[in-house]
Amino acid sequence: MNIKSICCIGAGYVGGPTMAIIAAKCPHIKVTVVDLNEARIAAWNDADVTKIPIYEPGLSDIVAEARGRNLFFSTNVDQAIDEADMIFISVNTPTKTYGIGKGMAADLKYIELCARQIASVSKTDKIVVEKSTLPVRTAEAIKNILQNTGNGVKFQILSNPEFLAEGTAVTDLLNPDRVLIGGDGDAEGQEAVNALEAIYANWISRDRILTTNLWSSELSKLTANAFLAQRVSSINAMSELCEKTGADVNEVARAIGMDSRIGPKFLKASVGFGGSCFQKDILNLVYIAKSYALNEVADYWEQVIIMNDHQKRRFANTIVSTLYNTVSGKKIAFLGWAFKKDTNDTRESAAIYVADYLLNEQAHVAVFDPQVQELQMQSDLNYLATRSEKENASGITVQQDPYEACKDAHAIAVLTEWDEFKSYDWHRIYANMKKPAFIFDGRNLLDGKKMEQIGFVFQAIGKGK
Ligand code: UDX
Ligand code: ADP
């Protein structure tokens, strides 16, 4: 099957960048990204391409090249479905906030709505690709909905999980470690797998394209995220022990990372992992394990989340206890709010939880982040529903200038590892702070020795004295 037209439902952090790269690399395919969110689509279509709704290094250039040629953003979901040979589902699958599985299971209502819409609109055979991370066997539910339309249209379902990390989405998409495609083993299933493989083969060598059955593909995505998150929780667990024993977690990470069986990546101790995937996917894994009564499996993975929550609380606690057990009325400057550098995404960012904790202690938090807007920060805090919107609005001040954020502060907390923080004029920052001036580096980003020479009291994650 030769794919000429693709529709992607969901213009978010996954759908937007993925489709931009497919369009750039496959000028012969028309790619239409649709979303119910009109403001989001309008931003993707903004004449000023730097205003696209997702900040990713290199993305705006790629969108500028392909947009209007073979890449389109639209709110007309029905039309795009109707025209497409292949439909990617890239809608969000947040953790359920109600009913059975509340707080654990993935909420599949958006996926089901998509499947029903595809079923009702389609007049020709289509390949439907699950891009969103989904619980194992979701393809079965999608299949059931699509195959019972009674209008004679045939659907093939593929699982093609996305492994891109935010902040490096463009390079990850251009040069992925692997592409995973799961499909049915019969002839039609394999034909659909081949059609998707042919698209990726436009820029990725075939030996990096893995094909599996549907269920292995769905479970591999959850497994990959669980393993990655587990590495962060493992090094974070060691960071606490390092602080007690006088070891340095960076040295420990380097020493173990040189063991080729362990490898050097994903061993950076931090204030805790965030992002839309790790916590959600592990909770989902725990829920699935419990639903099969695999309680030891569930407990094992749940510990990764418990450790991460502990790390965020511990960081906030350290700030309070170091500042003489009270931060009430004190100004704490936050450098960074995004869950990692080079993104404007704040979902599950450790900064939100640390801010929440400090606001409970009646601190005043002044935030600077190079990419996150004030409205987003307020909405992140309001979502926690710990206090009223009014209290949140008066509890934090958002600054456009890092020097203003740090002025008259008792302490600085580094929450995101933005590169630019390293090259600030730290002498100037020190001069304008309350003394003693503290830095709590939740990302092990700054040069501790240099900071101490300037006069700061400096604390990094996982560095014992
Ligand atoms: C992750 C997976 O990496 C990606 O494959 C999947 O598709 C989606 O989930 P993402 O959440 O975008 O990607 O970012 P990632 O780089 O994995 O970082 C996740 C969190 O872990 C961030 O908060 C990051 O700061 C933290 N982290 C990562 C650490 O604290 N230490 C590390 O060594 C690595
Ligand atoms: P991700 O990080 O997985 O890409 P996002 O939340 O950034 O998640 O993006 C998902 C997008 O999917 C949102 O912009 C949302 O409006 C969109 N969406 C959800 N359900 C539908 C639907 N039925 N039709 C069209 N778009 C949808």
Side-chain angles (χ1 to χ4, degrees), residues 61 138 316:
D61 291 342
T138 304

PDB file of all heavy atoms in Angstrom, residues 61 138 316:
ATOM      1  N   ASP A  61      12.327  25.741  12.337  1.00  0.00           N
ATOM      2  CA  ASP A  61      12.886  25.751  10.976  1.00  0.00           C
ATOM      3  C   ASP A  61      12.257  24.659  10.120  1.00  0.00           C
ATOM      4  O   ASP A  61      11.973  24.858   8.931  1.00  0.00           O
ATOM      5  CB  ASP A  61      14.417  25.510  11.017  1.00  0.00           C
ATOM      6  CG  ASP A  61      15.133  26.690  11.638  1.00  0.00           C
ATOM      7  OD1 ASP A  61      14.524  27.773  11.712  1.00  0.00           O
ATOM      8  OD2 ASP A  61      16.306  26.525  12.052  1.00  0.00           O
ATOM      9  N   THR A 138      -4.625  -2.151  24.308  1.00  0.00           N
ATOM     10  CA  THR A 138      -5.552  -1.094  23.893  1.00  0.00           C
ATOM     11  C   THR A 138      -5.941  -1.270  22.433  1.00  0.00           C
ATOM     12  O   THR A 138      -7.064  -0.981  22.030  1.00  0.00           O
ATOM     13  CB  THR A 138      -4.903   0.298  24.067  1.00  0.00           C
ATOM     14  OG1 THR A 138      -4.494   0.418  25.413  1.00  0.00           O
ATOM     15  CG2 THR A 138      -5.879   1.413  23.746  1.00  0.00           C
ATOM     16  N   ALA A 316      12.930  20.036  49.079  1.00  0.00           N
ATOM     17  CA  ALA A 316      12.223  21.175  49.686  1.00  0.00           C
ATOM     18  C   ALA A 316      12.515  21.244  51.184  1.00  0.00           C
ATOM     19  O   ALA A 316      12.763  22.324  51.742  1.00  0.00           O
ATOM     20  CB  ALA A 316      10.721  21.044  49.440  1.00  0.00           C
TER      21      ALA A 316
END
